[in-house]
Amino acid sequence: MGKDYYQILAISKDASDADIKKAYRKLALKYHPDKNPDNKAEAEKKFKLVTEAYEVLSDAEKRKIYDKYGEEGLQGGIPEGGMGGMPGGMPGGFKFKTSGGGGGFQGSDPFDIFKQFFGSSSPFDGGSGFMRFSSADDSPFSSPSNSPHVSPTRGKPPPVECKYYCTLEEIFKGTHKKFNVDRVLPGKKKDKKLFEFDVLPGWKRGTKVTYGNDGGCIDGYPEMLQADLVFVLDEKPHPTFSRDSNDLKMKHKITLTEALLGCKVEITGLDGKKIPVEVPPVVQPGKRLRVKEEGMPIRKQGQVVGRGDLYIEFDVKFPTTLSSKQIELLKQANL
């Protein structure tokens, strides 16, 4: 018995294109192997099934064949004179890949389809005219009038990238963002949709969250080819810390005596933790001290695997005046 693609996507047989996309988006993210490191093999099987079902049902011609003849029809097993009287039943120029043993419909690479749909190969990362945004977090966006002119073409519109801002604390701990989007759908129908997603600990400036085909229509492009909507992370300036990849940098003032003789200082980290730091004697102005693993979270393959370092640059405060005794002592020290 062939696969039931409608059951795999948990949709009805009269599901619309929007229903199919919605189901694929949900299940592909759920079963992507990178999001299931503890059960990767089983998740990959489900991920491939979900993608196979989406590839067939999202294509009008493939869906028509599947609805009439089932999975067998997709393997080239359509009865003689089946689809439009073509030899072997296939419409002109319409081909499917088949496995050597006839073991089922062999579609495209599921990871290629995922990347094409979401605009990224990573499920963690997770485009109306130029759209207007109102942010639940009051994040500033470029308005349509500030967007560069794009010459209309007959292809898919370019994605519209929308910048949003997070504090270093939010990126350190992770946070949740919500944005209300006003967009124009086919038929010039006005629509407002809420987009929300998690900013994961350690994300870097420029990390993108892409919603495939969710950006609405753009003037000059075919209505049915909707733009992708892309949210791009940027960092708000911090009063104490600056970020360099996974490392953090900061400045700390010490007196001339502390710089010459050494001292102990206490630094408050980005996470609020109190960090004792031993300052060695004879610290030159501008000298940096490295404190291991007190920087930003380091992400690899969707997981936090450690932390970067904290670099403290010392700003030595020189006295504005010296007493006669201090001058004499310095002369005796012959520094």
Side-chain angles (χ1 to χ4, degrees):
M1 185 174 180
K3 301 184 187 80
D4 187 337
Y5 291 141
Y6 293 100
Q7 187 177 27
I8 289 170
L9 292 181
I11 56 177
S12 64
K13 291 192 175 182
D14 60 352
S16 65
D17 289 343
D19 292 333
I20 294 168
K21 288 179 181 179
K22 183 178 179 180
Y24 171 71
R25 178 182 292 112
K26 176 183 176 181
L27 295 173
L29 289 172
K30 180 179 180 180
Y31 293 121
H32 194 289
D34 288 350
K35 291 195 76 174
N36 296 272
D38 298 330
N39 194 20
K40 203 162 189 174
E42 185 63 27
E44 186 166 351
K45 288 180 184 178
K46 293 180 179 179
F47 176 74
K48 289 180 177 178
L49 272 177
V50 166
T51 307
E52 180 180 325
Y54 169 73
E55 183 179 7
V56 171
L57 298 183
S58 64
D59 185 292
E61 199 66 59
K62 294 178 185 177
R63 185 178 182 181
K64 184 177 179 182
I65 294 172
Y66 174 76
D67 285 346
K68 190 166 186 178
Y69 300 103
E71 189 185 4
E72 184 184 26
L74 299 175
Q75 299 174 39
I78 298 176
E80 194 74 25
M83 294 291 289
M86 296 298 295
M90 289 294 182
F94 195 66
K95 298 179 181 179
F96 293 96
K97 299 177 184 177
T98 58
S99 61
F105 166 64
Q106 301 294 306
S108 305
D109 185 311
F111 296 97
D112 287 344
I113 291 176
F114 183 94
K115 184 174 182 179
Q116 183 179 6
F117 187 93
F118 289 97
S120 170
S121 58
S122 171
F124 299 97
D125 292 343
S128 111
F130 289 99
M131 295 172 292
R132 298 185 302 277
F133 294 81
S134 59
S135 165
D137 298 281
D138 295 326
S139 298
F141 290 88
S142 296
S143 67
S145 60
N146 291 333
S147 301
H149 175 72
V150 179
S151 300
T153 70
R154 298 188 64 181
K156 180 179 172 67
V160 175
E161 295 190 345
C162 307
K163 187 181 291 186
Y164 69 100
Y165 292 83
C166 288
T167 65
L168 283 180
E169 287 89 350
E170 288 176 322
I171 300 171
F172 182 89
K173 297 176 182 178
T175 188
H176 189 77
K177 289 290 182 180
K178 297 181 181 181
F179 302 103
N180 288 308
V181 180
D182 293 322
R183 35 184 210 158
V184 178
L185 300 181
K188 299 190 181 301
K189 178 183 175 182
K190 292 185 178 180
D191 175 74
K192 176 173 285 190
K193 184 174 180 179
L194 175 66
F195 293 87
E196 52 184 309
F197 52 88
D198 291 326
V199 175
L200 301 181
W203 273 10
K204 294 179 180 177
R205 176 188 280 117
T207 298
K208 297 180 180 181
V209 176
T210 301
Y211 292 88
N213 305 314
D214 249 334
C217 304
I218 290 183
D219 291 340
Y221 291 86
E223 279 194 343
M224 299 312 294
L225 296 177
Q226 298 186 45
D228 294 340
L229 175 61
V230 183
F231 295 98
V232 186
L233 172 64
D234 203 350
E235 299 167 0
K236 291 181 180 179
H238 195 279
T240 302
F241 299 97
S242 61
R243 185 179 183 182
D244 183 6
S245 187
N246 296 315
D247 297 329
L248 289 173
K249 297 178 180 179
M250 65 172 296
K251 291 186 176 183
H252 185 79
K253 290 184 178 181
I254 56 176
T255 66
L256 178 59
T257 302
E258 290 172 330
L260 292 172
L261 303 180
C263 61
K264 291 181 179 179
V265 298
E266 188 176 76
I267 303 295
T268 302
L270 187 62
D271 56 354
K273 174 184 173 183
K274 301 298 182 181
I275 307 169
V277 178
E278 188 86 26
V279 182
V282 194
V283 172
Q284 300 288 338
K287 178 180 174 61
R288 295 199 308 169
L289 196 64
R290 176 188 176 196
V291 183
K292 293 184 178 180
E293 298 183 352
E294 292 294 346
M296 295 295 289
I298 298 173
R299 301 190 68 84
K300 287 187 178 179
Q301 297 182 339
Q303 304 292 324
V304 175
V305 296
R307 289 178 62 177
D309 299 329
L310 170 64
Y311 288 89
I312 306 170
E313 181 180 330
F314 292 101
D315 183 7
V316 180
K317 296 184 292 184
F318 282 80
T320 55
T321 60
L322 291 173
S323 66
S324 300
K325 185 176 180 180
Q326 288 171 327
I327 293 172
E328 186 62 33
L329 289 171
L330 285 171
K331 287 180 178 179
Q332 291 177 16
N334 194 28
L335 294 177

